[in-house]
Amino acid sequence: MHPNVFVSADEIAAIRAARGQYALLDATIEADVVMMEAALGEPIETPPPGEAGGYAHERHKQNYREMMAAGLLYQITGERRYADFVRDMLLQYAEMYPALGPHPMSERQVPGKLFHQLLNENVWLVHTIVGYDNVYDALTEAERATIEANVFRPMLEWFTGEGAFSLDRIHNHGTWAAASVGMAGYVLGDRDLVEQALYGTDKSGEAGFLRQLDELFSPDGYYMEGPYYARYAIWPFFYFAEAIARNEPALDIYAYRDGILEKALYATVQTAWPDGTLPALNDGSLYMSVAAPGVVLGTDLVYDRYGNDPTLLGVARFQGQVILNGSGLAVARAYAAAETIPEMTWESVEFRDGADGEGGGLGILRAGTGEGQTVALMKYGVHGLGHGHFDKLGLILWDQGRDVLDDYGFARFVNVEPKYGGRYLPENDTWAKQTLAHNTVVVDGRSQNDGDRREADAMHADRHFFDGDASDGVQAVSAYARGYYPGVDMQRTVLLVEDDAFDHPILIDLFRLAADAEHQYDYPLHYDGVPITASFDLAGHADALRPLGDDAGYQHVWETGRASATGDVQFTWLDGNRYYSVTTAGTAPTEILMGRTGANDPDFNLTSEPLLVLRRRAADHLFASVIEPHGYYSGATESSVQARPRVAAVRVLGSDDAASVVEIEDHAGARWHVFVNNGAPSDGPHTATVGGQAVTWTGNVAVRPVP
Amino acid sequence: MHPNVFVSADEIAAIRAARGQYALLDATIEADVVMMEAALGEPIETPPPGEAGGYAHERHKQNYREMMAAGLLYQITGERRYADFVRDMLLQYAEMYPALGPHPMSERQVPGKLFHQLLNENVWLVHTIVGYDNVYDALTEAERATIEANVFRPMLEWFTGEGAFSLDRIHNHGTWAAASVGMAGYVLGDRDLVEQALYGTDKSGEAGFLRQLDELFSPDGYYMEGPYYARYAIWPFFYFAEAIARNEPALDIYAYRDGILEKALYATVQTAWPDGTLPALNDGSLYMSVAAPGVVLGTDLVYDRYGNDPTLLGVARFQGQVILNGSGLAVARAYAAAETIPEMTWESVEFRDGADGEGGGLGILRAGTGEGQTVALMKYGVHGLGHGHFDKLGLILWDQGRDVLDDYGFARFVNVEPKYGGRYLPENDTWAKQTLAHNTVVVDGRSQNDGDRREADAMHADRHFFDGDASDGVQAVSAYARGYYPGVDMQRTVLLVEDDAFDHPILIDLFRLAADAEHQYDYPLHYDGVPITASFDLAGHADALRPLGDDAGYQHVWETGRASATGDVQFTWLDGNRYYSVTTAGTAPTEILMGRTGANDPDFNLTSEPLLVLRRRAADHLFASVIEPHGYYSGATESSVQARPRVAAVRVLGSDDAASVVEIEDHAGARWHVFVNNGAPSDGPHTATVGGQAVTWTGNVAVRPVP
């Protein structure tokens, strides 16, 4: 019975009846209609295979999008021309495909025939088979026979033969292979293909889709390469899962591994910033968002297959579209029925990393609602293979709709051919991956693991504690990174504190280093915007700039200014409509380096961004800082209020392996004490000695006004 | 009869009846209600005078806003508490004001008593008198007597006595003085005050409001300091004009000087970029927009008092508010009645500069509609006094909602106290005003007039021709700047061309220099975004940066790269979702300087922005360039098309005092010839000799495909 892998005849009937009623559904159908009107007005093209990113490559990609859309539109509208389009295009492929050999331009990867890498051909088949499934009944037996014999069958032979390495791989490329083979198996009624997809080519279960579900996500659904890659990785998982659910309900795929598919979707969308973009962790882009098609697919399926979570409707708002099956219809209907425009407000959350959940994690603290949320994110998981960055204990702060303390993400202009062919730029290795490119301490001017990926992949940071309960105004995440630098252990505890004394949540950052010998500790802050004032002389260099160093990313930073301070260090900048100040306790003399990326960058591949580095020499040391958003600025109305911070001083009252105690004082003389348990986590009482007196608090962290 | 200066009882009745019907009206009233709810919840404060930008200063400013709003709300709602608020605040001022002497902190300007400069006190009175006018009938005779005797009368004595210099000045400060004195005269029924305001303190007509209307705008309504200042300058003009129209209709003020008030409003809003922001000409901000209150006032009055121009409703869209009188009601009503959301689409326009219209001008070429317009602006007017920049023949290009080739505007953070007290930064003189900070040729590394303002104020650039008719796809503006550099005359002709071969309008820029001796010519382009590719080796400096020079702004630019080229120079960058390429004919060897602002800037006062400089040595020379927007890029979808330009070459076929002829060739071999008349403008036939052959065209410019 067709269609059977993505949508059913009943769902099609419901979608047809629903047209004109639900904005998201109508928008989706309309976008497909517009795309197909353009396609139907042009001759069908199936060009000979070409280079990656070139015309033929892009044409074949567009062809699969059009075949899937045309198949669905045929079902929804009943218009024969859509079915004819899929038929004619597939018949044209049928004339070309059997004669194709392996693509000549593959490099270090399994080739496809239409595309230089098998991956693209897997993706092509996943979408095309959905289109075929939808027009199956509109084709003659002879047409189907021609298409299957000359396109799908030889393609599947290639995938399961030459491509077996990819199909059996526990890797997201393997998932695309499995999805393509499995979905084609269902559509063609070929059980053998389905079993190879589910259990590996040898059907042992050592490989295949279920094994991929076991191993590619942490028990919390986190994908080790980070959200930018997760948004792509989950795409084939959901396509194939949905096909399985429809064809083999007994497998109960959505319950598999304690509902890992649900967790994988949440672990993607819950990492999103309040504006829907995904954090640029590892080799990630600053611009990818929950509107990516794999996330649209996952969001709609999870909404419908699991508990109709209304926050997913807030995700759908950023997507502006749904998938064209019963799940997409359910989302469109619920979205239209919502009393107010759905808002995406996630709670604070921690995701464990590593397939076994023992590889550290990712902690996200959130305050506020919707797009007005303030978010602090700390990364303390596994390295993440080839796309990993040497950035354990890295911090990103999001506020007023922007990344106030940011991560550079990758150094790459995807698909921009004149920019190094759209590939990762050389500066991705020499800058973006280096520790200095992140908001985490750099020891002795070297990157973590000295930039050695194999060493980094063999270890991970460690969770310490996570308190995402905002009810008392104090949330916190704490983690360790041990062994990333020889002889230096690191612990970072970040608190997001809502206190009536401050107009916005403030961030308290305690970055603790423990070492037997003295080291150079660089604490970088990748701010953006305009320096406003500082407790030190900003001392911008007048007539010459030099790079900050020779390697480990330092060679890419122009030193734009240098100053020194013996007491607290305070620096205020303006970003958007808000001022930000960092105040760091003067526990050691500080050399302050002002920098800007762009050195040793002959092709201007790096974007020009400022950073501030606080440099100290110490053995055991605590960088105790408060990052305070304050005031308001508008260039349009030329208004400015509270351009100076409220925090006047930060003092370390004590810090050792047991606890850290820090005092914050504001300009009015009000004081707060911050208590952090550095030892084994516990919700019980903790004690530290401050000024000869024992102080006691309950839980891993506490913030108390000083009477 | 009260109210009588801003709104009438009939208009109030109409506004009351209209509540709940028109979004713009409701939004305005609601904003005032919200502001007043906050004000009514706090004690009234009339603090002793303080420093500019300080608490007392800002409090007195907020007080006048509240008194004007409260007066209007009293009329509209009939709620007594609003009238009481105005009364109580004025009675509190009445206790303080008589004892005040001249403000001690005035510097080089006429002091006020509440404020350090008289200007602020004039502004205070203009708004306060509207508030008083509206609550006049709600006060007892005794209350009015107290307020008038202790606030308005002594204040007006100060304005017309010690402040006579300001009142009699032909300057926008004088207009505020005149408006305050005249409007108070109408409200207090004092004809003497009105006449001093209209005709000067000696009533001779040598000064006063009418003389200001004669002299402060060009015959086209252009305000010589530029749109950023115009948005403030027109504010008192419209307040007082409206008061005059209501009290002395026989003066027919809106018809005065051939409708100069209408022209002044249009010369402000028609300079706006498609997103409503105003060009940052001279000491202007990048962020000021048509939503500024003086422009809201002028827009509503001009809409109602002149021809109900629907494009002004498009301006109102950016304003999101109206004024609370009959004119504001008319705008709100028409806006609500519009069938589609009104869009601001101005035609191309030229404004003559100088009070007599003989001081050069400003030319604005526009293609497209609404926020999608492409705009090229060239500045060739008078210097503009103390706020003027040395930037004659400066070009700004606006496309896809941003300033693609931009002007730095001022170096200032208005009202940001820690940033040099919110005043003009030292870098405003040393960078922002310098010629290099603009898109215009710098000769011999010196600014125009060698940066001497008096010399610059004594001259002006000259209009050549302007063709804003887009019907043939070719629009053009041309102007001369003679005498700005010793021995070097300059002519710039800019064409905005819509041709089916290009997806977006392209800009053809012919910058011609005529000199007897060889000079260094620097052609700067202040682009923004990411360099993508170039015909030369970008050659970013690896390990040291030095300033481009020692003065004239060069000391503020880090030289980030240097290359040389003998043929055409082509450079492509990515800005937003679009690529841009400049292709400049290789008529002379070119030294290419890549730069970035920030050198000799110890306090990090300058924003960091890239620029490209093409440097040549020549006597007579033509920089012939095509600036081509092309392709599409999206980081969100990772799509990129046409990252390389279509233009392949630009050739100068001939250029002399009579004409310039340029050939453009694209990658497919298609060619166009561009003809520009350099002599006396004429719509008739022109002839040039190209390659020994006479070519003829009609009109000042022509662009023809080469068969």
Side-chain angles (χ1 to χ4, degrees):
Chain A
M1 193 167 64
H2 298 275
N4 72 349
V5 284
F6 182 72
V7 66
S8 71
D10 286 351
E11 292 163 53
I12 288 291
I15 288 171
R16 198 181 299 133
R19 287 190 74 178
Q21 295 178 58
Y22 310 126
L24 289 180
L25 179 71
D26 291 341
T28 305
I29 294 174
E30 180 59 22
D32 278 356
V33 166
V34 167
M35 179 175 78
M36 287 312 303
E37 283 307 310
L40 290 167
E42 299 285 337
I44 287 172
E45 282 190 274
T46 55
E51 65 185 334
Y55 179 76
H57 179 96
E58 292 302 322
R59 183 67 254 168
H60 290 299
K61 285 170 70 174
Q62 184 59 19
N63 283 352
Y64 77 65
R65 291 187 199 108
E66 289 170 2
M67 283 192 281
M68 176 161 167
L72 290 162
L73 287 180
Y74 167 67
Q75 290 283 343
I76 293 167
T77 67
E79 292 178 37
R80 177 76 212 181
R81 60 188 183 136
Y82 292 122
D84 291 348
F85 176 87
V86 179
R87 177 197 63 198
D88 294 346
M89 187 175 275
L90 284 173
L91 288 172
Q92 203 163 308
Y93 273 110
E95 287 175 27
M96 172 174 71
Y97 198 83
L100 294 179
H103 195 289
M105 295 179 194
S106 79
E107 281 179 37
R108 296 173 297 150
Q109 52 202 345
V110 183
K113 291 180 169 180
L114 293 173
F115 297 94
H116 70 294
Q117 63 175 346
L118 193 66
L119 170 66
N120 298 93
E121 202 137 317
N122 297 145
V123 177
W124 185 94
L125 182 56
V126 164
H127 292 87
T128 300
I129 206 71
V130 174
Y132 182 69
D133 185 31
N134 277 293
V135 303
Y136 192 93
D137 290 339
L139 307 190
T140 65
E141 192 127 355
E143 288 163 348
R144 292 197 296 259
T146 302
I147 290 165
E148 293 183 13
N150 293 288
V151 182
F152 297 139
R153 285 298 173 183
M155 189 178 280
L156 287 159
E157 271 169 43
W158 184 253
F159 289 2
T160 56
E162 194 81 10
F165 166 78
S166 185
L167 178 55
D168 286 343
R169 209 172 157 203
I170 308 300
H171 183 282
N172 87 78
H173 290 198
T175 310
W176 279 106
S180 65
V181 170
M183 290 168 74
Y186 288 129
V187 172
L188 304 182
D190 185 330
R191 183 72 204 161
D192 178 63
L193 290 173
V194 172
E195 291 190 359
Q196 290 191 63
L198 287 172
Y199 307 111
T201 51
D202 68 359
K203 304 183 187 174
S204 68
E206 293 296 305
F209 188 67
L210 298 180
R211 191 63 182 266
Q212 290 162 354
L213 278 172
D214 289 337
E215 299 193 10
L216 285 178
F217 301 99
S218 88
D220 295 334
Y222 188 72
Y223 185 73
M224 65 157 70
E225 292 183 304
Y228 173 76
Y229 292 93
R231 70 94 176 77
Y232 192 75
I234 63 174
W235 200 5
F237 273 108
F238 279 101
Y239 266 131
F240 194 19
E242 185 63 15
I244 294 167
R246 288 165 184 272
N247 289 278
E248 297 189 65
L251 263 181
D252 204 3
I253 194 72
Y254 283 113
Y256 189 81
R257 199 185 166 201
D258 201 19
I260 192 66
L261 284 161
E262 178 184 28
K263 292 172 181 170
L265 185 275
Y266 276 101
T268 306
V269 295
Q270 278 191 297
T271 60
W273 300 123
D275 73 345
T277 57
L278 295 168
L281 303 179
N282 296 326
D283 284 344
S285 156
L286 293 166
Y287 305 103
M288 188 53 64
S289 81
V290 297
V295 186
V296 175
L297 177 69
T299 299
D300 290 1
L301 293 177
V302 166
Y303 178 85
D304 191 38
R305 294 285 186 175
Y306 300 92
N308 293 359
D309 175 0
T311 305
L312 292 177
L313 302 179
V315 179
R317 175 168 67 88
F318 292 116
Q319 297 170 340
Q321 56 176 317
V322 292
I323 56 172
L324 291 178
N325 71 5
S327 296
L329 175 60
V331 167
R333 186 186 287 127
Y335 189 93
E339 286 186 15
T340 56
I341 294 171
E343 200 171 47
M344 184 179 81
T345 300
W346 298 118
E347 306 280 314
S348 298
V349 65
E350 182 182 45
F351 297 106
R352 290 171 293 165
D353 203 353
D356 58 359
E358 300 294 325
L362 183 80
I364 305 177
L365 305 177
R366 296 173 179 269
T369 61
E371 298 199 41
Q373 274 195 333
T374 301
V375 186
L377 177 153
M378 188 161 76
K379 181 166 177 273
Y380 44 94
V382 304
H383 183 69
L385 307 174
H387 291 306
H389 285 195
F390 300 93
D391 64 350
K392 260 45 77 184
L393 305 191
L395 170 73
I396 309 180
L397 174 63
W398 182 277
D399 191 43
Q400 50 157 348
R402 57 181 68 207
D403 46 354
V404 169
L405 295 176
D406 58 5
D407 189 303
Y408 191 88
F410 60 33
R412 182 181 184 188
F413 295 91
V414 182
N415 286 326
V416 180
E417 175 275 321
K419 210 68 181 169
Y420 212 66
R423 300 188 300 277
Y424 292 99
L425 295 159
E427 292 76 13
N428 193 60
D429 284 334
T430 57
W431 168 249
K433 286 188 172 180
Q434 301 298 320
T435 304
L436 183 65
H438 304 82
N439 299 302
T440 187
V441 167
V442 185
V443 177
D444 295 330
R446 311 295 308 165
S447 282
Q448 294 173 3
N449 305 111
D450 227 357
D452 183 317
R453 176 197 146 188
R454 283 174 207 290
E455 188 183 305
D457 268 328
M459 55 201 296
H460 57 77
D462 295 299
R463 298 162 62 218
H464 180 207
F465 59 78
F466 183 84
D467 173 2
D469 178 0
S471 61
D472 63 350
V474 179
Q475 303 181 73
V477 55
S478 186
Y480 300 104
R482 303 181 181 100
Y484 283 87
Y485 287 107
V488 182
D489 282 350
M490 307 186 287
Q491 177 200 357
R492 188 175 211 166
T493 307
V494 170
L495 293 79
L496 188 64
V497 177
E498 294 168 276
D499 187 298
D500 287 344
F502 296 92
D503 291 335
H504 308 287
I506 63 169
L507 193 144
I508 302 172
D509 179 28
L510 305 187
F511 201 119
R512 197 164 75 90
L513 299 120
D516 291 333
E518 193 176 86
H519 294 272
Q520 172 183 289
Y521 296 137
D522 281 356
Y523 174 90
L525 288 180
H526 294 267
Y527 71 97
D528 200 4
V530 183
I532 294 292
T533 186
S535 64
F536 50 90
D537 178 1
L538 285 167
H541 293 319
D543 58 2
L545 297 189
R546 297 280 181 187
L548 271 185
D550 296 326
D551 58 1
Y554 287 77
Q555 76 277 23
H556 286 301
V557 180
W558 296 114
E559 182 189 300
T560 54
R562 185 181 283 248
S564 56
T566 50
D568 277 12
V569 177
Q570 190 169 64
F571 174 70
T572 300
W573 71 96
L574 169 64
D575 187 2
N577 294 117
R578 209 165 277 178
Y579 297 97
Y580 295 86
S581 291
V582 56
T583 309
T584 303
T587 48
T590 311
E591 195 164 23
I592 298 130
L593 307 173
M594 308 282 291
R596 180 171 283 280
T597 44
N600 283 290
D601 179 24
D603 297 323
F604 293 87
N605 284 337
L606 293 173
T607 56
S608 174
E609 299 186 359
L611 74 162
L612 175 78
V613 178
L614 306 188
R615 174 170 291 176
R616 290 173 174 174
R617 290 200 63 85
D620 289 349
H621 186 71
L622 179 68
F623 284 96
S625 305
V626 174
I627 293 160
E628 175 194 353
H630 55 93
Y632 174 78
Y633 172 77
S634 164
T637 61
E638 298 188 340
S639 46
S640 169
V641 295
Q642 208 192 325
R644 295 185 186 272
R646 174 157 193 149
V647 170
V650 176
R651 298 179 193 101
V652 176
L653 303 184
S655 180
D656 58 23
D657 285 348
S660 297
V661 182
V662 169
E663 179 174 85
I664 299 169
E665 182 167 343
D666 77 5
H667 276 294
R671 288 182 297 156
W672 292 262
H673 282 169
V674 180
F675 305 94
V676 171
N677 164 37
N678 292 336
S682 128
D683 292 335
H686 297 276
T687 302
T689 305
V690 173
Q693 292 199 306
V695 291
T696 301
W697 70 95
T698 303
N700 290 307
V701 293
V703 177
R704 284 191 209 148
V706 179
Chain B
M1 192 166 69
H2 297 274
N4 72 350
V5 285
F6 183 71
V7 66
S8 70
D10 285 351
E11 292 164 53
I12 289 291
I15 289 171
R16 198 181 297 133
R19 288 189 72 177
Q21 296 177 57
Y22 310 126
L24 289 180
L25 180 71
D26 291 340
T28 305
I29 294 173
E30 180 59 22
D32 278 356
V33 166
V34 166
M35 178 175 77
M36 286 313 303
E37 283 307 310
L40 291 166
E42 299 286 337
I44 286 173
E45 279 189 277
T46 55
E51 65 184 335
Y55 180 75
H57 179 96
E58 293 302 321
R59 183 67 255 168
H60 290 298
K61 285 170 68 175
Q62 184 59 20
N63 283 352
Y64 77 62
R65 290 187 199 110
E66 290 170 1
M67 285 192 280
M68 176 160 167
L72 289 163
L73 287 180
Y74 166 66
Q75 290 282 346
I76 293 168
T77 66
E79 292 178 38
R80 176 78 212 180
R81 59 187 184 138
Y82 292 122
D84 292 348
F85 176 86
V86 179
R87 178 197 61 198
D88 294 347
M89 186 175 275
L90 284 173
L91 288 172
Q92 202 164 305
Y93 273 110
E95 288 175 26
M96 173 174 71
Y97 198 81
L100 293 179
H103 194 289
M105 295 180 193
S106 79
E107 282 179 35
R108 295 174 297 149
Q109 52 199 347
V110 184
K113 291 180 168 181
L114 293 172
F115 296 95
H116 71 294
Q117 62 175 346
L118 192 67
L119 170 67
N120 297 94
E121 203 137 316
N122 298 144
V123 177
W124 185 95
L125 182 56
V126 163
H127 292 88
T128 300
I129 206 72
V130 173
Y132 181 69
D133 185 32
N134 278 293
V135 303
Y136 192 93
D137 290 339
L139 306 191
T140 65
E141 191 126 351
E143 286 163 350
R144 292 198 296 258
T146 301
I147 290 165
E148 293 183 12
N150 293 288
V151 182
F152 297 140
R153 285 299 173 179
M155 189 177 278
L156 287 159
E157 271 169 41
W158 184 254
F159 288 3
T160 55
E162 193 82 10
F165 167 78
S166 185
L167 178 54
D168 286 343
R169 209 171 156 204
I170 308 301
H171 183 281
N172 88 78
H173 289 198
T175 310
W176 280 107
S180 65
V181 170
M183 291 168 73
Y186 289 127
V187 172
L188 304 182
D190 185 331
R191 183 71 203 163
D192 177 63
L193 289 174
V194 172
E195 291 189 359
Q196 288 191 59
L198 286 172
Y199 306 112
T201 52
D202 67 359
K203 304 184 188 174
S204 69
E206 293 296 306
F209 188 67
L210 298 180
R211 191 63 184 266
Q212 291 161 354
L213 279 172
D214 289 337
E215 298 193 9
L216 285 177
F217 301 100
S218 88
D220 294 335
Y222 188 70
Y223 186 73
M224 65 157 69
E225 292 183 305
Y228 173 76
Y229 292 93
R231 72 92 177 69
Y232 192 75
I234 62 173
W235 202 5
F237 273 107
F238 278 100
Y239 267 132
F240 193 21
E242 185 64 13
I244 294 167
R246 288 163 185 272
N247 289 277
E248 297 188 66
L251 262 181
D252 204 4
I253 194 71
Y254 282 113
Y256 189 82
R257 198 185 166 199
D258 202 19
I260 192 66
L261 284 161
E262 178 184 28
K263 291 173 181 169
L265 185 276
Y266 275 101
T268 306
V269 295
Q270 278 191 296
T271 60
W273 300 125
D275 74 344
T277 56
L278 296 169
L281 303 179
N282 296 325
D283 284 345
S285 156
L286 293 166
Y287 305 104
M288 187 54 63
S289 81
V290 296
V295 186
V296 176
L297 177 69
T299 299
D300 290 1
L301 293 178
V302 166
Y303 179 85
D304 192 37
R305 294 284 186 175
Y306 300 92
N308 293 357
D309 176 0
T311 306
L312 291 177
L313 302 177
V315 179
R317 175 168 66 91
F318 292 115
Q319 297 171 339
Q321 57 175 316
V322 291
I323 55 172
L324 292 178
N325 70 7
S327 296
L329 175 59
V331 168
R333 184 186 288 127
Y335 189 93
E339 286 187 16
T340 56
I341 295 171
E343 200 171 47
M344 183 179 80
T345 300
W346 298 118
E347 305 280 313
S348 298
V349 65
E350 181 182 46
F351 297 107
R352 289 171 294 164
D353 203 353
D356 58 0
E358 299 295 325
L362 183 80
I364 305 178
L365 304 178
R366 297 173 178 270
T369 62
E371 298 199 39
Q373 275 195 333
T374 301
V375 186
L377 176 152
M378 187 160 75
K379 183 168 175 274
Y380 44 95
V382 304
H383 184 67
L385 307 175
H387 292 305
H389 284 194
F390 300 93
D391 63 350
K392 261 44 76 184
L393 305 191
L395 170 73
I396 310 179
L397 173 64
W398 182 278
D399 191 43
Q400 51 156 348
R402 57 181 67 206
D403 45 355
V404 168
L405 294 177
D406 59 6
D407 189 305
Y408 192 87
F410 60 32
R412 182 182 184 186
F413 294 92
V414 182
N415 287 324
V416 180
E417 175 275 321
K419 210 67 181 171
Y420 211 67
R423 301 188 299 278
Y424 292 99
L425 295 159
E427 293 76 13
N428 192 60
D429 284 335
T430 57
W431 168 248
K433 286 189 174 181
Q434 301 298 321
T435 304
L436 183 66
H438 305 82
N439 299 303
T440 188
V441 167
V442 185
V443 177
D444 296 329
R446 311 296 306 168
S447 283
Q448 295 172 2
N449 303 111
D450 226 357
D452 183 317
R453 177 197 144 188
R454 280 173 210 289
E455 188 184 305
D457 268 329
M459 55 201 294
H460 56 77
D462 295 299
R463 298 161 62 218
H464 180 207
F465 60 77
F466 183 84
D467 173 2
D469 177 0
S471 61
D472 63 349
V474 179
Q475 302 180 74
V477 56
S478 186
Y480 300 103
R482 303 183 181 101
Y484 283 87
Y485 287 106
V488 182
D489 283 349
M490 307 188 287
Q491 177 199 356
R492 189 174 209 167
T493 307
V494 169
L495 293 79
L496 189 64
V497 177
E498 295 169 274
D499 187 298
D500 288 344
F502 297 91
D503 291 336
H504 308 287
I506 64 168
L507 192 145
I508 301 172
D509 179 27
L510 305 187
F511 201 120
R512 197 163 75 89
L513 299 120
D516 290 334
E518 193 176 85
H519 294 273
Q520 173 184 290
Y521 297 137
D522 280 357
Y523 174 90
L525 288 179
H526 293 267
Y527 71 98
D528 201 6
V530 182
I532 292 294
T533 185
S535 64
F536 50 90
D537 179 1
L538 285 167
H541 294 318
D543 57 1
L545 296 189
R546 296 281 181 183
L548 271 186
D550 296 326
D551 57 2
Y554 286 77
Q555 76 277 24
H556 286 302
V557 179
W558 296 116
E559 181 189 302
T560 55
R562 186 182 281 249
S564 55
T566 50
D568 275 11
V569 177
Q570 191 169 63
F571 175 70
T572 300
W573 71 97
L574 169 64
D575 187 1
N577 293 117
R578 208 166 276 177
Y579 298 96
Y580 295 86
S581 291
V582 55
T583 309
T584 303
T587 48
T590 312
E591 195 165 23
I592 298 130
L593 308 173
M594 308 281 292
R596 179 171 284 279
T597 45
N600 283 289
D601 179 24
D603 297 322
F604 293 88
N605 284 337
L606 293 173
T607 56
S608 175
E609 300 185 359
L611 73 161
L612 175 79
V613 178
L614 307 188
R615 173 171 291 176
R616 290 171 174 176
R617 290 200 64 84
D620 290 349
H621 186 70
L622 178 68
F623 283 97
S625 304
V626 173
I627 294 161
E628 175 193 352
H630 54 94
Y632 174 79
Y633 172 77
S634 164
T637 61
E638 298 187 338
S639 46
S640 169
V641 296
Q642 209 194 327
R644 295 186 187 272
R646 171 153 195 155
V647 171
V650 176
R651 297 179 195 102
V652 176
L653 303 184
S655 181
D656 57 25
D657 285 348
S660 297
V661 181
V662 169
E663 180 174 85
I664 300 169
E665 181 167 344
D666 78 4
H667 276 295
R671 288 182 297 155
W672 293 262
H673 282 170
V674 181
F675 305 94
V676 172
N677 164 35
N678 293 336
S682 128
D683 293 335
H686 298 274
T687 302
T689 306
V690 173
Q693 291 200 307
V695 290
T696 302
W697 69 96
T698 302
N700 290 306
V701 295
V703 178
R704 284 192 207 144
V706 179

